[in-house]
Amino acid sequence: MARIYYDKDADLKVLKDKTIAVVGYGIQGRGQALNLRDSGITVIVAQRPGGPNYDLARQDGFKPVAASGATKKADVVIVLAQDTFQ
């Protein structure tokens, strides 16, 4: 039997003092980064300059950096880049 998780099962306090790096700012990356930021979590977006969503990340209020820089500063890394780039 599958276990279903609900909001009450998650505790954002675990992430409150952490920095999350979101690598990739496509459909999944953008949604996760905005959701985390809106929940009060510190988020760094890794998106390559000239990439299709670099300007979108900037418009959304992020300062995109290289993946290597984001991962060095982060406590948690979420890789949401396209499979071919991972």
Side-chain angles (χ1 to χ4, degrees), residues 12 15-16 32-43:
L12 279 177
L15 299 176
K16 282 293 182 189
Q32 296 293 335
L34 292 171
N35 188 11
L36 286 164
R37 184 182 68 187
D38 291 349
S39 295
I41 307 300
T42 301
V43 177

Side-chain angles (χ1 to χ4, degrees), residues 5-6 9 19 24 34 36 51 56 70:
Y5 292 93
Y6 297 93
D9 297 314
T19 298
L34 292 171
L36 286 164
L56 181 59

Side-chain angles (χ1 to χ4, degrees), residues 11 21 29 71-72:
D11 185 1
T71 57
K72 286 177 185 173

Side-chain angles (χ1 to χ4, degrees), residues 21-35 43-48 51-58 60 62 64 78-83 85-86:
V22 175
V23 179
Y25 204 72
I27 294 169
Q28 287 295 319
R30 183 178 190 225
Q32 296 293 335
L34 292 171
N35 188 11
V43 177
I44 300 172
V45 169
Q47 176 66 40
R48 59 190 160 81
N53 297 310
Y54 182 86
D55 290 335
L56 181 59
R58 289 179 50 89
D60 287 343
F62 293 104
I78 304 171
V79 180
L80 297 170
Q82 295 176 14
D83 292 345
F85 291 116
Q86 289 184 32

